[in-house]
Amino acid sequence: MKKSGSDTSRFRNYCVFLTLQRTNVSTYKNTAMTNTITKAEQHVQRVQAELVSAMNSFHAVDELTERYAELIDSKYKLKDTSKRAYKSDVKHFLAFIQANGINEDTVAEFRETIAGCKCTVSTKNSWLKAAKALLKEAYRAGILSQDLTLKHKELFKTKRGHKKDGLTKDEMQRVWHYVNNLSGTTGRKLRALTALMASEGLRQFEARQLRLSDVETKSDTPTVTFISKGDDDSEVFPITRKTAKLIQEYIDTDQPTEYLFPSATDPSQPVSLRAIRKYYTCSKYGVFARCDISGKSVHGFRHYYITTLLDIFNGDLAKVRRRSRHKSFDMLIVYDDARTAASDMERLNEFF
């Protein structure tokens, strides 16, 4: 890696400073200033150590820059999608350490640098997570002598809640009315997909990855099997008879071969997340546009599902957690707060 002008200047200054200190040592020796000689020699040693440390930090930068993809790939617990995201996000950190080197406060300095970037908190946290993953793996690989992530664990804080609201009951009724009246493959596919997300709470990536072998619709207890968010193993998830019926109608008529929702361009691959979002959010042909719904995302189906569960189970968070597959109660409390706040406002409006 070619060092920038600022880096070269930094090393030149170290060398000049070191030379001056050595000259001072000779002067002090000649004047027999014993105490000052000791202090000067100690200072020279510190400067030398600092110079060596700086040189080593840039050697580490060189190796990290060259091996970052290999190091991220070596994190065996990461899923392939996460590895691809880390490789993209970590490039901001690589640019930072190429300009500044590496020290024990690198994570904090990087965090401070990106704090002022005009991007979302989620994006900044993605950059930080990728940087920490790289540094931790570099320590495991022996490139760094210490784990620089232990001292600085704090991410950027986000406000509790969601950026976009979920679909309301009225909006969901409009969606069902629209897709139920669609004919052909598009109608059957959208009915099955909408049911999985709105009536079963599957996330978009969970629905897209379903294979025909993951679906059991003809038994008394129909199920789908998939890998949920944050898990390494698959989960057998019971679904309603209505959802099972819509899926089976789609399979019987359109006969997908491997994936339940195959890509239109390559049937051996699942439909892309981008395509799923386009089905619903395309400003001209999307389901939401056809139903006069604006400002909502596809994830709004899951919001609707969880809010409906809270109504069905009368706010029983334990039951909702099991059915929604949330790892903690924190986000469910956010959903329930929003649900009860809306109910409270209705009562206040009636009273006042």
Side-chain angles (χ1 to χ4, degrees):
M1 177 186 73
K2 186 178 179 181
K3 294 182 172 57
S4 66
S6 61
D7 300 336
T8 304
S9 176
R10 178 189 300 178
F11 289 116
R12 187 185 298 113
N13 290 338
Y14 274 126
C15 294
V16 170
F17 188 56
L18 190 61
T19 301
L20 288 174
Q21 293 303 322
R22 285 173 176 163
T23 302
N24 289 338
V25 171
S26 299
T27 302
Y28 293 138
K29 284 182 178 178
N30 291 336
T31 55
M33 297 175 64
T34 306
N35 292 337
T36 310
I37 289 172
T38 303
K39 290 180 181 179
E41 288 179 335
Q42 290 174 347
H43 195 62
V44 169
Q45 290 172 356
R46 284 198 299 271
V47 173
Q48 288 175 323
E50 189 177 352
L51 178 59
V52 171
S53 176
M55 291 291 289
N56 288 338
S57 79
F58 278 94
H59 292 158
V61 169
D62 289 343
E63 193 160 1
L64 284 181
T65 304
E66 293 170 2
R67 296 180 56 190
Y68 78 93
E70 170 197 334
L71 290 167
I72 290 174
D73 279 337
S74 67
K75 291 186 74 65
Y76 63 93
K77 288 186 177 180
L78 279 183
K79 296 179 181 178
D80 289 341
T81 52
S82 298
K83 289 178 181 179
R84 286 194 293 270
Y86 275 24
K87 287 175 188 176
S88 174
D89 292 334
V90 82
K91 292 179 181 178
H92 301 276
F93 180 66
L94 292 176
F96 175 80
I97 61 176
Q98 283 178 307
N100 299 281
I102 295 177
N103 60 67
E104 63 179 8
D105 294 318
T106 287
V107 176
E109 292 169 357
F110 178 59
R111 186 186 187 282
E112 184 178 349
T113 299
I114 65 176
C117 294
K118 293 183 178 180
C119 56
T120 65
V121 171
S122 177
T123 297
K124 294 174 188 176
N125 281 337
S126 295
W127 295 352
L128 266 178
K129 289 176 184 176
K132 289 182 176 183
L134 180 65
L135 290 174
K136 189 172 286 291
E137 208 59 24
Y139 170 65
R140 288 182 57 195
I143 297 172
L144 297 175
S145 60
Q146 59 180 306
D147 185 352
L148 302 180
T149 68
L150 297 178
K151 187 177 177 181
H152 307 284
K153 297 182 178 180
E154 188 174 349
L155 297 174
F156 293 97
K157 293 181 179 179
T158 58
K159 293 182 180 179
R160 295 176 70 206
H162 293 283
K163 297 175 185 176
K164 293 186 178 180
D165 294 330
L167 274 72
T168 64
K169 291 181 180 179
D170 176 66
E171 289 170 337
M172 199 63 236
Q173 287 176 351
R174 278 183 267 158
V175 168
W176 275 122
H177 181 267
Y178 177 74
V179 298
N180 282 335
N181 285 283
L182 285 175
S183 59
T185 299
T186 300
R188 289 184 291 271
K189 177 167 61 178
L190 283 179
R191 284 191 286 276
L193 184 57
T194 301
L196 284 167
M197 295 190 294
S199 301
E200 312 300 336
L202 266 67
R203 300 172 177 91
Q204 297 164 64
F205 80 90
E206 293 168 346
R208 75 177 283 267
Q209 292 177 345
L210 290 175
R211 299 173 183 267
L212 286 181
S213 56
D214 297 328
V215 179
E216 174 52 67
T217 59
K218 295 181 179 180
S219 69
D220 293 335
T221 55
T223 61
V224 291
T225 303
F226 58 90
I227 296 178
S228 188
K229 180 181 179 182
D231 290 337
D232 296 318
D233 200 4
S234 58
E235 171 185 9
V236 179
F237 186 71
I239 58 175
T240 62
R241 287 188 291 272
K242 178 181 177 181
T243 298
K245 179 182 177 183
L246 292 174
I247 292 174
Q248 194 58 52
E249 287 175 354
Y250 162 64
I251 292 174
D252 289 343
T253 307
D254 298 282
Q255 298 184 340
T257 55
E258 185 173 353
Y259 285 96
L260 184 60
F261 303 109
S263 165
T265 56
D266 183 0
S268 67
Q269 297 297 317
V271 64
S272 68
L273 290 176
R274 182 179 180 183
I276 291 177
R277 289 165 189 156
K278 193 174 180 180
Y279 293 155
Y280 296 95
T281 62
C282 174
S283 59
K284 190 173 183 180
Y285 301 109
V287 172
F288 292 166
R290 299 289 186 176
C291 298
D292 195 26
I293 298 171
S294 61
K296 302 295 175 73
S297 67
V298 179
H299 197 65
F301 286 125
R302 183 165 166 79
H303 292 201
Y304 165 80
Y305 172 74
I306 294 175
T307 302
T308 304
L309 286 182
L310 287 165
D311 286 337
I312 293 172
F313 296 124
N314 197 27
D316 187 331
L317 297 183
K319 290 183 178 180
V320 175
R321 177 174 175 262
R322 285 195 296 271
R323 186 65 192 172
S324 65
R325 296 166 290 110
H326 265 295
K327 301 301 178 187
S328 69
F329 289 103
D330 292 346
M331 189 52 66
L332 293 180
I333 293 173
V334 173
Y335 281 108
D336 199 37
D337 286 347
R339 180 183 70 97
T340 54
S343 176
D344 290 344
M345 281 308 303
E346 288 180 8
R347 294 173 61 190
L348 288 171
N349 286 326
E350 289 176 6
F351 186 83
F352 292 106

